[in-house]
Amino acid sequence: MFRQFRAAVADALGEACAAAGYPTDDLGIEEPPDDVDATLASSVAFRLAAEAGAPPPAVAAEIAAEFDGDTVTHLDRVETRGPYVNFHTDESYYADTVAAVDDDWGRLPDRDESVVVEHTSANPTGPVHVGRARNPIVGDAVANALSYAGYDVERHYYVNDAGRQVAVFTWAYERFDESELPEPERPKSDYEMVRYYRAGNAFLDPDDESWPSTEAERETAEAEIESIMRGLEGHPEGDSDAYDRVREVVDEVLSGMQESLERLSVAFDEFVEETRFIRDGSVDETAERLRDLPQAVYEEDAWQLDLSEFDIDKQFVFLRANGTSLYTTRDVAHHEWKFDNFDRAVTVIGEDHKLTFEQLDATLELLGNDTDRLDQLFYSWVNLAGGDGMSTREGTGVDVDELLDEAVDRAREEVERRLDDRSRDDDLTEADVDRIARQVGVGAVRFDVVAKQPSKAITFDWDRALDFEAQSAPYVQYVHARCCGIEAEAADAGVEPAATVDPGLLSAPEETALAAEIARLPAVIEEAAADLEPHRLASYVRRLAERFNAFYRECPVLSAEPERAAARLALVAAARHTVANALDVLGVSAPESM
């Protein structure tokens, strides 16, 4: 509803500007100032004032006089206030919005455009840790927003199974006996396997006294590790069984990592192996094309690209002297594969990889690719209060599993406390409390992380994330549960929501404010998808929750006269659908009871 109204206003405003003799680009259509009770506003008069040689309020009045409101459905009136042209909707706008809401509210028509979203892609060397938790949370929300916005989305995890890290891991897994290792931190495959990785790195470090080793032992180990790496590249001097050996280790670690990601409600359509592009010849073909570029130079025992024409000082190394490729080379082949199979590619990646992706973009462009089809969303790390370390190699830091355990435990304590404080019997079973604790705890983590702009660092705070009274996930989830409760009570009382709503029955300020907010969901999703900014949905649904709570306080549903009760019940149902779908984009559950 809001999207259609905005589009109609834009068309009519452009015609009004043209009629007044002004250009029709950049119409400045936006939300009105906080003190203006309108659905839309235009600040175009600011831009046109210099050209008109008149103050912005006079230009706004001139444009408003040319505006043809008959072409805009649901327009009540056009008014100016200072430099703004403000557009007010009529009563039928709110009633028609409520009538339009269903299970698919917020989903836009199919765009017939495919998008691959690559996210997480943590090295398969151990459990997912908190510092990188933003990647799956933001990445999944981006993919959800794009899917809701009408794109055909695939979610990919790029498995780094060809580098030195996995070669060290594989060697260590075969070198050490489990009896030599400490007990795993939890009975889960990634925790069991990471012990070998840590032991291998300690063994190879001459300064690490936890695993003493001689120089000769380290040289032997390095030769075996080099053989695995060469074998993965198909080099005749490498181990011909390297792929199968590495696969066994990687699969074990990934299975444990997937369990953790599933706890976050994060799933993938495909796990794309780095070695895939070695084995199918893509990497060799890519390296050959790179060497043929005029920017290619052989320096410091490696083939590199001089990217100074892109204002990138650091050269892009793509081939070692021994003919083996690097991660960078394989990533070029990977992205060209994306271009061959998808209309658009999005990568969610840590801000510490910005230079790498600048080099990748430049290299892809030199190879003749349309890099406008590639977007990167960079994020800052998540920190915990107290500044915990985050190194998997050293075995320090906090893992996502620990964070989620703590979140669920704290949510359970809060749910049980609130149940104890109530005088009525909620009929909640122990299974219900478990479900609610999981939904609230995991939801609190996801919502708190995704609610911030990705470029800004986060210090995760328990009190903020689990505050039922503040603008947190529990605060919003409770609105959904309250809607479900009202609908259940209505069903018991034999009250049904109105199929069509008389506009005059939803005229209270709290009713129209809630309906107006509900109308905006499709537009918010469209904008969040276009700009890869899922945090907009978090801001939106918090405001929606505020609007609902104001409505709940001021507009009783079941005690109203029958027709008004039915209209308000329809508004409650519309709010429930809207909250549920907005939370769904964010990957947060919408509990039916709390």
Side-chain angles (χ1 to χ4, degrees):
M1 200 64 62
F2 176 81
R3 289 174 66 245
Q4 291 88 335
F5 180 72
R6 185 177 59 185
V9 165
D11 290 342
L13 183 62
E15 292 175 2
C17 287
Y22 295 120
T24 60
D25 59 325
D26 191 14
L27 297 173
I29 296 175
E30 58 194 48
E31 289 189 39
D34 291 338
D35 60 345
V36 175
D37 182 22
T39 301
L40 285 172
S42 171
S43 59
V44 68
F46 279 113
R47 181 175 61 82
L48 299 176
E51 180 176 333
V59 177
E62 182 183 3
I63 293 172
E66 296 287 351
F67 192 90
D68 181 6
D70 293 338
T71 63
V72 182
T73 304
H74 293 307
L75 180 69
D76 180 53
R77 66 191 187 279
V78 179
E79 296 178 342
T80 62
R81 183 168 176 179
Y84 289 95
V85 183
N86 300 309
F87 306 92
H88 299 258
T89 44
D90 60 20
E91 285 185 336
S92 67
Y93 174 79
Y94 308 108
D96 288 352
T97 292
V98 171
V101 176
D102 57 15
D103 288 345
D104 290 329
W105 184 243
R107 291 192 180 274
L108 303 182
D110 186 3
R111 297 174 184 267
D112 193 27
E113 183 175 345
S114 61
V115 183
V116 57
V117 178
E118 178 200 332
H119 68 84
T120 307
S121 300
N123 288 332
T125 53
V128 181
H129 60 69
V130 170
R132 293 293 187 187
R134 203 168 192 175
N135 199 316
I137 291 173
V138 173
D140 190 58
V142 165
N144 291 341
L146 288 165
S147 179
Y148 263 79
Y151 295 94
D152 180 13
V153 177
E154 281 199 21
R155 298 158 168 83
H156 285 190
Y157 187 119
Y158 186 48
V159 183
N160 307 136
D161 64 341
R164 175 177 167 82
Q165 284 183 313
V166 295
V168 169
F169 205 155
T170 303
W171 165 81
Y173 180 64
E174 297 169 348
R175 161 66 175 76
F176 296 102
D177 190 272
E178 185 174 2
S179 62
E180 302 176 81
L181 305 175
E183 287 295 312
E185 295 170 15
R186 63 176 65 206
K188 193 159 161 280
S189 61
D190 46 346
Y191 289 86
E192 293 167 358
M193 295 295 291
V194 75
R195 298 175 298 160
Y196 295 95
Y197 182 65
R198 291 168 181 164
N201 279 292
F203 185 92
L204 295 170
D205 185 350
D207 298 323
D208 193 324
E209 297 180 358
S210 63
W211 284 95
S213 59
T214 66
E215 184 177 351
E217 287 175 323
R218 291 192 296 274
E219 288 178 355
T220 300
E222 290 290 359
E224 294 173 3
I225 292 166
E226 178 71 16
S227 178
I228 294 172
M229 293 175 64
R230 285 174 172 258
L232 291 173
E233 293 269 355
H235 197 284
E237 295 179 11
D239 187 331
S240 59
D241 296 327
Y243 176 78
D244 292 334
R245 294 166 63 193
V246 167
R247 188 77 261 144
E248 180 181 359
V249 171
V250 169
D251 284 349
E252 277 293 307
V253 180
L254 275 178
S255 67
M257 296 172 76
Q258 283 180 262
E259 288 182 38
S260 302
L261 294 170
E262 286 170 2
R263 293 184 68 190
L264 275 172
S265 299
V266 174
F268 294 90
D269 296 301
E270 187 173 354
F271 285 78
V272 181
E273 300 170 0
E274 187 178 350
T275 50
R276 169 182 186 161
F277 305 103
I278 297 172
R279 292 158 67 85
D280 70 6
S282 299
V283 171
D284 287 341
E285 190 264 343
T286 297
E288 189 64 32
R289 289 164 58 213
L290 290 172
R291 280 190 296 192
D292 289 341
L293 291 172
Q295 293 84 0
V297 294
Y298 187 82
E299 296 177 355
E300 300 178 1
D301 296 327
W303 279 97
Q304 310 179 40
L305 287 184
D306 181 350
L307 301 176
S308 56
E309 65 188 88
F310 297 91
D311 295 323
I312 299 174
D313 294 332
K314 187 175 181 180
Q315 296 193 159
F316 182 79
V317 181
F318 62 88
L319 204 62
R320 299 184 182 91
N322 62 11
T324 57
S325 64
L326 288 84
Y327 175 87
T328 52
T329 332
R330 301 187 284 271
D331 208 26
V332 172
H334 174 212
H335 278 79
E336 291 199 309
W337 171 81
K338 290 181 182 181
F339 292 151
D340 288 340
N341 290 278
F342 300 92
D343 298 316
R344 183 178 167 204
V346 175
T347 306
V348 180
I349 195 76
E351 63 182 4
D352 50 324
H353 292 281
K354 278 186 177 180
L355 175 59
T356 300
F357 270 79
E358 287 175 4
Q359 293 176 311
L360 174 65
D361 273 354
T363 301
L364 289 168
E365 186 174 329
L366 289 173
L367 289 174
N369 296 283
D370 178 9
T371 54
D372 288 340
R373 296 166 56 197
L374 175 63
D375 291 297
Q376 290 104 23
L377 176 59
F378 296 103
Y379 65 88
S380 295
W381 280 41
V382 175
N383 300 305
L384 296 179
D388 298 275
M390 296 296 175
S391 170
T392 303
R393 182 177 184 274
E394 300 296 333
T396 61
V398 177
D399 298 316
V400 163
D401 288 306
E402 296 176 69
L403 181 71
L404 295 180
D405 287 347
E406 182 78 5
V408 173
D409 288 345
R410 286 176 179 255
R412 169 183 278 278
E413 290 176 5
E414 180 62 19
V415 170
E416 291 177 339
R417 184 189 68 77
R418 295 171 78 88
L419 287 173
D420 291 341
D421 289 346
R422 292 177 183 173
S423 58
R424 65 182 180 85
D425 182 7
D426 280 88
D427 294 327
L428 290 178
T429 67
E430 188 65 22
D432 290 329
V433 174
D434 283 342
R435 169 186 55 78
I436 294 168
R438 287 194 305 273
Q439 290 176 317
V440 171
V442 175
V445 171
R446 284 200 58 145
F447 191 93
D448 197 66
V449 169
V450 81
K452 312 297 188 303
Q453 289 186 14
S455 59
K456 295 182 178 179
I458 293 178
T459 298
F460 186 83
D461 181 85
W462 287 113
D463 292 337
R464 180 189 65 230
L466 285 166
D467 190 341
F468 278 63
E469 309 303 328
Q471 291 187 330
S472 59
Y475 174 78
V476 177
Q477 289 173 311
Y478 196 76
V479 166
H480 185 269
R482 177 163 277 165
C483 290
C484 292
I486 293 171
E487 290 180 297
E489 289 181 25
D492 291 341
V495 180
E496 296 184 357
T500 59
V501 178
D502 181 344
L505 295 175
L506 293 179
S507 56
E510 294 80 12
E511 293 169 327
T512 57
L514 176 56
E517 204 64 47
I518 288 169
R520 293 181 61 244
L521 177 63
V524 174
I525 288 175
E526 184 174 48
E527 292 159 5
D531 298 331
L532 304 181
E533 293 185 342
H535 66 274
R536 293 189 183 188
L537 268 298
S539 299
Y540 166 79
V541 77
R542 285 186 296 210
R543 188 162 70 173
L544 177 66
E546 287 181 345
R547 299 285 190 270
F548 179 85
N549 287 332
F551 159 79
Y552 180 78
R553 288 192 301 268
E554 302 298 329
C555 302
V557 178
L558 300 183
S559 62
E561 60 271 22
E563 287 188 358
R564 191 173 299 277
R568 287 179 175 173
L569 189 58
L571 180 57
V572 169
R576 173 175 58 81
H577 284 304
T578 305
V579 171
N581 289 356
L583 288 178
D584 188 47
V585 175
L586 298 172
V588 176
S589 296
E592 295 183 4
S593 59
M594 284 179 66

